Amino acid sequence: PLSGLALIPPSHPPATTDAAVDLASAFTDDAIASSSQRALMTASEVATTSSLNQGDFMILAGALSWSTYIFRTSSVAKSYSELDLQFSKNVLLAVMYFGWFLTTAVTSLLAAAASASTSLPSLLASGTWMEALAPLWSGWASLPVWVLLAYSAVGPGAVADLLQQSGQKEVSASESNIILCFESLFAAVCAFVFLGEVSSAKEMTGGLFIVMAAILASK
């Protein structure tokens, strides 16, 4: 939301209100996602996690990045085809994920070498380095894991992106962000239908504020 304000020119006043909507939705989405986990915690654990922690800041950073992505997509969607944009995005993500994997692998190997009181070359020569990296691909032989991975890649990863990029050619960034604010509502409905989770009064109130803010921003 904050970066979105910097990316949208002054001739787009609804973006200011919409950035606040997106920031509010980040807090509400956090509450909805964590409600089922908190139900399983003890009173002391809930008290410990009630304050802001690293996870909250990571979610806020994700919301900021997502808002920036929406605004930037609206500015370039009319100049490129959906397939070109999706290809560029996938290539960039592949490079970033591979770098993440390499960083984690090196960190795991260094930790294993330190734990065994040996050097990294000695660990690699001994052949035990595979055990240190095993957690990185645990579950690779599980069919449900591959099914879920394929769904994530095809559904939310490809089809949803193509539809969003195609839609943002026709509507403004502010309108797009307003529509996407209803993601928390869809998440609450799916959680109730498929997982049997019931949102609390606090969560439903937060969702109502999001809907009201979206309506006001569209005026």
Side-chain angles (χ1 to χ4, degrees), residues 11 31 36 57 67 74 88 101 103 114 124 127 130 176 190 202 207:
S11 59
S36 59
F57 289 109
S67 183
S74 290
S88 301
F101 169 78
T103 301
L124 297 176
M130 288 292 293
S176 302
C190 290
K202 180 180 179 181

Side-chain angles (χ1 to χ4, degrees), residues 59-118:
I59 292 174
L60 286 175
L64 187 145
S65 298
W66 179 247
S67 183
T68 303
Y69 167 70
I70 293 173
F71 289 132
R72 292 300 300 159
T73 298
S74 290
S75 65
V76 301
K78 296 180 181 180
S79 302
Y80 303 94
S81 69
E82 295 88 344
L83 291 178
D84 289 340
L85 289 175
Q86 187 64 22
F87 175 78
S88 301
K89 176 184 175 182
N90 288 344
V91 170
L92 177 60
L93 288 176
V95 173
M96 294 176 64
Y97 288 149
F98 185 67
W100 186 2
F101 169 78
L102 286 181
T103 301
T104 306
V106 172
T107 303
S108 299
L109 290 174
L110 291 175
S115 178
S117 299
T118 184

Side-chain angles (χ1 to χ4, degrees), residues 29-43 45-47 49 53 55-56 59 191 195 197-198 203:
D29 287 345
D30 182 28
I32 293 175
S34 62
S35 60
S36 59
Q37 298 177 356
R38 292 195 176 193
L40 302 177
M41 293 180 179
T42 63
E45 289 175 327
V46 171
T49 57
N53 53 40
D56 294 304
I59 292 174
L195 302 177
E197 296 181 2
V198 180
E203 294 165 351

